Amino acid sequence: MASIHPIITGVGGYVPDYILTNEELSRMVDTSDEWITTRVGIKERRILTEEGLGTSYMARKAAKQLLQKTGCDPDTIDALIVTTTTPDYKFPSTASIVLGKLGLKNAFAFDFSAACCGFLYSLDVAAGMIQSGRYKKIIVIGADKMSSICDYQDRSTCVLFGDGAGAVLVEASEDEEVGYQNSFLRTDGKGLPFLHMKAGGSVCPPSHFTVDHRLHYLYQEGRTVFRYAVTNMGDDVMKILKDNNLTADDVDWVVPHEANLRIIEAVTKRAELPMDKVVINIDHYGNTSAATIPLALWDNEANMKRGDNVIFTAFGAGFVHGASFYKWAYDGSAVEGVK
């Protein structure tokens, strides 16, 4: 009996129309285009401004495009996973809302929470589900409306984040030459003091006090997060290279979490990988949390060829981190310009 290999067969994406530039941000907080560009590499970010629309709207847009591009029959989808830090509601799940809007009749759906590492983790979960033999087609969506939890009075954080969604279709295949190879995922549990949103959960429920004291926005201790991100992402990539007997010459693409250009540069230097193999779009999207990796794939899809060696790596609140190795399954030039 042939073994089952999970492969990515398509990518979809969505970013809002509204572009928040560094120049506009400089009129809101004490910052400048030069300050933001030199420290984090961001020039602009997309913001979902329409009232009443949340993460599920962007996730649905990305998934709908994915289905259209791949020609996949929605009735053949077995499961849908949405990974997000900014769900529409505490309950029901954002995934259930997306499933309902897409009209998926034969699938189940659930949310997955691992902050900026969510897509990497969810992709691994989907791969395991496919390898079990019980499921053949799974949509994995990374989506976040980070503007909903950003304090636009805090220049150290509000300049970093944007909104967006990316989706991939993971399918079962008997082709041994492509698809998921392996991963290394870890959680160290030390990150709570350095990256969190203090209020809104069961420890600190919403109240007049929490609203008045602006406790419903994300908090980040930048230097600590930077140090942990560089060390862990770099080490994780090197472990993936070692475990798969890969050299820098063997790697075609590195697709990192787009948190900070200086982090990406430091990670690739630590792993001794050239920057020309790294997919970067942080300059025009900012940090979209769980959406960064699928959006990077969406932007770079036309350049990717069947058999390309692709390494994903990410780091997020918790702290959570990891890397994974895929052999790309299709020639992206066939979908060039389709967005």
Side-chain angles (χ1 to χ4, degrees):
M1 184 177 178
S3 59
I4 301 173
H5 294 269
I7 63 173
I8 295 173
T9 58
V11 184
Y14 173 80
V15 289
D17 293 331
Y18 182 75
I19 299 173
L20 178 59
T21 65
N22 289 347
E23 193 278 331
E24 185 176 354
L25 270 174
S26 70
R27 300 196 299 266
M28 300 164 60
V29 292
D30 182 17
T31 190
S32 67
D33 175 64
E34 181 184 10
W35 189 92
I36 299 169
T37 302
T38 57
R39 282 165 176 77
V40 295
I42 299 171
K43 300 295 290 186
E44 59 188 35
R45 67 287 293 149
R46 301 298 184 98
I47 304 296
L48 185 63
T49 58
E50 290 84 353
E51 187 175 350
L53 297 181
T55 297
S56 70
Y57 172 80
M58 297 185 293
R60 174 172 60 87
K61 285 279 194 177
K64 186 175 181 179
Q65 185 197 83
L66 171 68
L67 292 171
Q68 291 173 340
K69 285 170 62 177
T70 58
C72 180
D73 181 352
D75 290 345
T76 65
I77 300 299
D78 298 308
L80 181 144
I81 305 171
V82 173
T83 178
T84 184
T85 304
T86 56
D88 286 17
Y89 308 99
K90 286 291 185 181
F91 61 89
S93 70
T94 300
S96 68
I97 298 170
V98 175
L99 178 145
K101 293 289 186 180
L102 291 175
L104 305 184
K105 299 176 182 178
N106 300 307
F108 71 100
F110 60 93
D111 285 1
F112 192 100
S113 177
C116 296
C117 225
F119 182 79
L120 190 67
Y121 279 29
S122 296
L123 203 55
D124 200 74
V125 169
M129 292 170 66
I130 294 291
Q131 288 172 323
S132 75
R134 297 176 60 193
Y135 311 99
K136 294 182 178 181
K137 294 183 181 181
I138 300 173
I139 294 176
V140 179
I141 307 171
D144 269 302
K145 185 182 177 182
M146 295 303 291
S147 63
S148 67
I149 59 171
C150 279
D151 184 352
Y152 286 94
Q153 296 181 15
D154 177 11
R155 75 165 188 169
S156 67
T157 57
C158 73
V159 302
L160 301 175
F161 296 97
D163 303 337
V168 298
L169 180 61
V170 185
E171 296 192 55
S173 172
E174 295 182 358
D175 190 340
E176 297 182 0
E177 296 182 355
V178 293
Y180 170 84
Q181 302 299 303
N182 66 341
S183 63
F184 176 78
L185 308 176
R186 288 293 184 272
T187 304
D188 69 16
K190 300 175 182 177
L192 175 61
F194 311 109
L195 185 53
H196 61 260
M197 186 172 74
K198 191 175 296 295
S202 59
V203 169
C204 186
S207 67
H208 286 293
F209 178 88
T210 63
V211 173
D212 292 344
H213 288 78
R214 309 181 70 80
L215 302 182
H216 292 269
Y217 297 114
L218 68 87
Y219 167 82
Q220 176 174 272
E221 188 177 301
R223 290 183 179 179
T224 301
V225 172
F226 185 101
R227 185 174 70 253
Y228 271 88
V230 170
T231 300
N232 286 306
M233 290 171 67
D235 289 352
D236 295 347
V237 169
M238 288 189 290
K239 179 170 177 54
I240 287 292
L241 293 175
K242 181 180 179 181
D243 289 350
N244 293 278
N245 296 313
L246 297 172
T247 67
D249 291 337
D250 297 319
V251 177
D252 295 291
W253 302 104
V254 179
V255 187
H257 168 51
E258 310 276 331
N260 181 321
L261 182 58
R262 289 166 61 204
I263 290 177
I264 296 172
E265 291 171 340
V267 167
T268 53
K269 182 178 181 180
R270 187 179 180 90
E272 299 182 344
L273 290 165
M275 283 295 292
D276 61 5
K277 294 186 175 183
V278 182
V279 181
I280 295 173
N281 63 5
I282 190 173
D283 55 322
H284 54 281
Y285 292 152
N287 182 349
T288 55
S289 191
T292 64
I293 289 178
L295 280 177
L297 286 175
W298 185 53
D299 275 356
N300 195 56
E301 183 183 19
N303 300 318
M304 301 172 75
K305 305 184 301 297
R306 175 182 166 81
D308 278 357
N309 291 327
V310 183
I311 293 179
F312 302 120
T313 184
F315 177 89
F319 292 126
V320 293
H321 59 94
S324 60
F325 173 36
Y326 275 73
K327 295 186 77 68
W328 201 245
Y330 63 95
D331 187 348
S333 62
V335 294
E336 186 173 3
V338 181
K339 281 196 173 183

